[in-house]
Amino acid sequence: MINWMSQFSPVQQALIGTLFTWGVTALGAGLVFFFKKINKKVLNGMLGFAAGVMIAASFWSLLAPSIEMAEDLGQTAWLTATIGFLGGGLFLFIVDKVLPHLHMGLDTSQAEGVKTSWQRSILLVLAITIHNIPEGLAVGIAFGAVAYGIPSASLGGAIALALGIGLQNFPEGAAVSIPLRREGFSRRKAFLYGQASGIVEPIAGVIGAFAVMSIRPLLPYALAFAAGAMIYVVVEELIPEAQQGDEITRTDIATIGCMLGFALMMILDVALG
């Protein structure tokens, strides 16, 4: 796979990588053709897994390379990483407060962002779409960094990140389409809405790759920015949703899923990077 990807430019690699992550989102959304509902324990485990992947990716694929690259560029590494990391969180915080969206399991009256009369289905899709933005950026920035030939920015590491993000997108696609099916949508319409939540990833990925290739000193900040945005999503959305439910076993399942997701992403990054 690495040899095959190496024949493309970093922007093309970013596009291929994020088309893959979008495709896995569509696969997850495709579960709606087979199920009308999903067991809450299973969903909690899947969301916990997604959180673990994103936490591991934030450090192994983004923050650690950001610090190393900042040092290579003569920047104050801890300051660069901190500014980028907090900037990513702040960006998602602002988007969260402005863009109308609704988290799973909540009533429409509990929608966040500016007040709107949009349908519940649109609000649910937007909730997932919001955190697909930093995922696409992260993959695009990782591929864009490869262009500079920095040891910590390898093509294998970028591919590992795309694989990890893709794996955790599977439950996210299902988490949109299946609830929509329960609310009366046809299977086809629920699938279309579910996969649409991932369409921002190729867009964000290409933008991220192009941006860091254009301005090299921006690269360490961009990597840390993507890490901060992903951690914000994990803490603000994935973990709380994975912990929903009355049974203590649901919490245990989400925690185990998170541990497994972290371990898998760590293995991918170390093995391929």
Side-chain angles (χ1 to χ4, degrees), residues 24-270:
V24 180
T25 302
L27 282 178
L31 289 180
V32 75
F33 291 109
F34 305 97
F35 305 99
K36 189 172 182 177
K37 62 180 180 179
I38 186 169
N39 184 281
K40 182 58 179 168
K41 292 180 181 179
V42 173
L43 181 60
N44 284 0
M46 293 169 74
L47 290 174
F49 178 86
V53 167
M54 290 181 70
I55 293 171
S58 295
F59 176 75
W60 294 98
S61 300
L62 299 170
L63 265 183
S66 168
I67 293 170
E68 186 175 334
M69 291 176 194
E71 292 173 344
D72 291 341
L73 291 171
Q75 300 173 355
T76 305
W78 66 265
L79 182 60
T80 296
T82 301
I83 292 173
F85 184 83
L86 294 180
L90 178 62
F91 170 74
L92 258 292
F93 176 82
I94 294 172
V95 171
D96 205 43
K97 297 303 178 185
V98 174
L99 188 65
H101 63 283
L102 178 67
H103 296 298
M104 289 185 297
L106 299 180
D107 185 78
T108 307
S109 62
Q110 296 175 284
E112 299 180 28
V114 297
K115 297 301 179 183
T116 179
S117 59
W118 292 352
Q119 294 180 342
R120 175 181 173 86
S121 57
I122 299 296
L123 296 174
L124 287 169
V125 172
L126 285 176
I128 301 295
T129 301
I130 287 174
H131 68 74
N132 280 337
I133 295 173
E135 293 172 10
L137 278 174
V139 174
I141 290 168
F143 279 109
V146 177
Y148 294 113
I150 301 172
S152 58
S154 67
L155 180 56
I159 292 174
L161 178 60
L163 288 173
I165 295 297
L167 287 174
Q168 65 92 41
N169 275 356
F170 186 82
E172 292 177 358
V176 176
S177 64
I178 293 178
L180 292 179
R181 173 62 178 157
R182 282 205 313 270
E183 294 187 13
F185 280 64
S186 67
R187 284 186 170 89
R188 180 176 176 275
K189 190 172 182 180
F191 167 75
L192 290 175
Y193 274 71
Q195 63 82 31
S197 65
I199 197 172
V200 295
E201 292 198 5
I203 299 171
V206 170
I207 291 174
F210 182 78
V212 298
M213 288 182 65
S214 301
I215 313 174
R216 181 174 179 177
L218 177 67
L219 181 54
Y221 292 98
L223 286 165
F225 179 94
M230 294 218 303
I231 291 296
Y232 182 93
V233 168
V234 169
V235 177
E236 198 271 341
E237 183 172 340
L238 287 180
I239 290 179
E241 290 180 0
Q243 301 283 349
Q244 287 181 3
D246 299 327
E247 300 175 23
I248 190 66
T249 53
R250 289 177 178 171
T251 299
D252 293 339
I253 290 171
T255 302
I256 293 171
C258 184
M259 296 294 291
L260 292 175
F262 186 99
L264 178 60
M265 185 63 228
M266 180 174 62
I267 291 170
L268 285 173
D269 192 271
V270 174

